[in-house]
Amino acid sequence: MQDTRSNSERATTELREMIFSGALPPGSDHLETELAEKLGMSRTPVREAALTLRAQGLVELRPRRGLRINPVSAKDMADIYDILTELESLAAARAAEARYSRADLATLATAIGDMTEALAQDDLRAWANADDRFHRELVRLGGNARLSMIVSVMRDQVRRARATTLFIRPKPTQSNDDHRAVYQAIAEGDPKTAHDIHHAHRLHARDMLVSLLEKHQFHGL
Amino acid sequence: MQDTRSNSERATTELREMIFSGALPPGSDHLETELAEKLGMSRTPVREAALTLRAQGLVELRPRRGLRINPVSAKDMADIYDILTELESLAAARAAEARYSRADLATLATAIGDMTEALAQDDLRAWANADDRFHRELVRLGGNARLSMIVSVMRDQVRRARATTLFIRPKPTQSNDDHRAVYQAIAEGDPKTAHDIHHAHRLHARDMLVSLLEKHQFHGL
DNA sequence: GCATTTTTTAACGTATACATTAAATCATAC
DNA sequence: GTATGATTTAATGTATACGTTAAAAAATGC
């Protein structure tokens, strides 16, 4: 089956993948022409993708220097986590206010179950995957589309850091208890508890990640 | 003196202005060719501007229909205010943590003074202008560049609603007291107070605006 | 008349061409 | 050998050309 998306869209996702995978390392420059050739298309869709990625904070366009892949410092990561913390906590509160049925919360429950299982099997990748699903669904349940967009852009950037820290950080056991408690609060329609627990959860993750990044001197991820 | 910016940048700001001024009304469609002609340039820079504005949530690109100017419903406005509330409050807290000197807070103080004066003279436009400056500076002092970007995009959208509600809503007298209290908390290095007061301030503004919009049935601003 | 198919149209997505101009290279003076 | 200025290079920003294809219009059948 053929890809029905436009080249512009393809370029956007492919460049994004190349940034996350490290094929385009942070701080590196890339001429539009080179990228166009690599992706097998003309400069036009590549340029359009570049503009989109710039709006998401992933790259900068420097005339005659090419696309600069934005590095992400420990301070950047702290800033990003701050935003995530506030917005996800709000989403948790709003989700609790919405009085979803248990059925509505099935995806959330599944993600928590998968995290538990992954932990038991020491499968950190599976855990990270389920953790992503949990947070994405949580935000979706918050019912604020703009907020979801912003959070997903921010989470994209976190993913870069996580790839490098996933295996050196402590096992996320506390994390799982937090998720369960947030789920519980949402199911019971308790916005304040949902908010506060998730807030503390994210703040904790932030401090852990930032201190890891600083310790390992990732001064431009 | 000539404008040194690229046509692409010019198109971005001009289209944005046209959206805010109502020259491109919410919900309306505009072909790339028409816009290009109106702006006196080719389709290329207009398209680039369109992509930037899409990333900011102002327009949508609908193949063969043209640029759709996104309408902003009361629900949208509530969502936007929710985001503003959380992020600005965080900025206020962080600003208080930063222990700025009184000199550093001069811009903030000036804005408050201007608001007081504008209120005394019943000059609502001047008040709105100073209010903008206050919030922008507050966020800047928070020291999170990404947060500032997001807030400024959200505030852009609020501006549309304010233009239509500024003269029908109650006079913002309470507002001024809030600003002063937030300023005080930041100057004294009290993050919690700064956060909580600003949070309440924004929540109040949100509820007032949303109920106004609903009452006046602006179901697509 | 209305529904369905065919034809036409034109807007977009993309490729390409090109002028501008910043950067790099080279030449020259000291 | 270094600094200054002239020359070359090449990447961008923009215009333009064009094929594709969705929508509109026209034609056809019932």
Side-chain angles (χ1 to χ4, degrees), chain B residues 31 43 47 64 66:
Chain B
L31 298 178
R43 272 178 57 220
R47 239 184 106 73
R64 264 155 256 281

Side-chain angles (χ1 to χ4, degrees), chain A residues 6-8 41-45 48 64-65:
Chain A
S6 71
N7 279 348
S8 180
M41 55 185 75
S42 83
R43 272 178 57 218
T44 307
E48 298 198 344
R64 264 155 257 282
R65 295 260 161 108

Side-chain angles (χ1 to χ4, degrees), chain A residues 171-186:
Chain A
K171 286 242 188 72
T173 46
Q174 170 64 34
S175 187
N176 236 17
D177 295 342
D178 292 341
H179 290 147
R180 244 178 256 285
V182 171
Y183 170 84
Q184 199 63 18
I186 291 174

Side-chain angles (χ1 to χ4, degrees), chain A residues 102-120 123 125-139 141 172 175-180 183:
Chain A
R102 291 272 170 182
D104 293 330
L105 302 179
T107 306
L108 222 50
T110 307
I112 294 176
D114 291 352
M115 276 185 269
T116 311
E117 196 178 334
L119 268 187
D123 185 346
R125 274 189 213 290
W127 176 85
N129 182 294
D131 185 59
D132 265 354
R133 273 184 289 134
F134 176 85
H135 283 97
R136 193 165 42 234
E137 176 68 0
L138 175 69
V139 165
L141 293 170
S175 187
N176 236 17
D177 295 342
D178 292 341
H179 290 147
R180 244 178 256 285
Y183 170 84

Side-chain angles (χ1 to χ4, degrees), chain B residues 9-173:
Chain B
E9 290 173 281
R10 233 192 321 266
T12 308
T13 61
E14 289 196 23
L15 288 178
R16 203 204 313 276
E17 281 314 312
M18 287 164 81
I19 293 172
F20 292 151
S21 74
L24 305 177
S28 62
D29 292 318
H30 307 272
L31 298 178
E32 293 177 5
T33 318
E34 288 173 21
L35 294 173
E37 195 161 352
K38 240 186 268 216
L39 298 177
M41 54 184 77
S42 82
R43 272 178 57 220
T44 309
V46 171
R47 239 184 106 73
E48 298 197 344
L51 291 168
T52 302
L53 296 176
R54 176 181 64 177
Q56 295 174 0
L58 287 175
V59 306
E60 244 169 77
L61 280 131
R62 313 198 309 167
R64 264 155 256 281
R65 295 259 162 108
L67 245 68
R68 138 85 33 122
I69 312 301
N70 278 342
V72 181
S73 67
K75 154 75 170 150
D76 285 320
M77 207 45 79
D79 284 354
I80 290 168
Y81 256 85
D82 272 347
I83 295 170
L84 276 179
T85 302
E86 298 305 316
L87 296 188
E88 285 187 355
S89 303
L90 172 64
R94 292 271 184 259
E97 283 170 13
R99 314 303 319 245
Y100 286 112
S101 72
R102 291 273 169 178
D104 293 331
L105 303 179
T107 305
L108 222 49
T110 305
I112 295 176
D114 291 353
M115 275 186 269
T116 311
E117 196 178 335
L119 268 187
Q121 300 187 2
D122 247 339
D123 184 346
L124 285 180
R125 275 190 212 289
W127 176 84
N129 181 291
D131 186 60
D132 265 355
R133 273 184 288 136
F134 177 86
H135 284 98
R136 192 165 44 234
E137 176 67 2
L138 174 69
V139 166
R140 198 188 65 76
L141 293 169
N144 184 331
R146 276 180 180 78
L147 186 150
S148 295
M149 287 259 305
I150 297 169
V151 165
S152 103
V153 169
M154 293 299 131
R155 209 194 331 259
D156 260 2
Q157 311 227 22
V158 168
R159 217 177 290 158
R160 285 205 268 175
R162 179 140 80 180
T164 67
T165 58
L166 187 56
F167 296 99
I168 52 174
R169 70 178 176 182
K171 286 241 188 70
T173 46

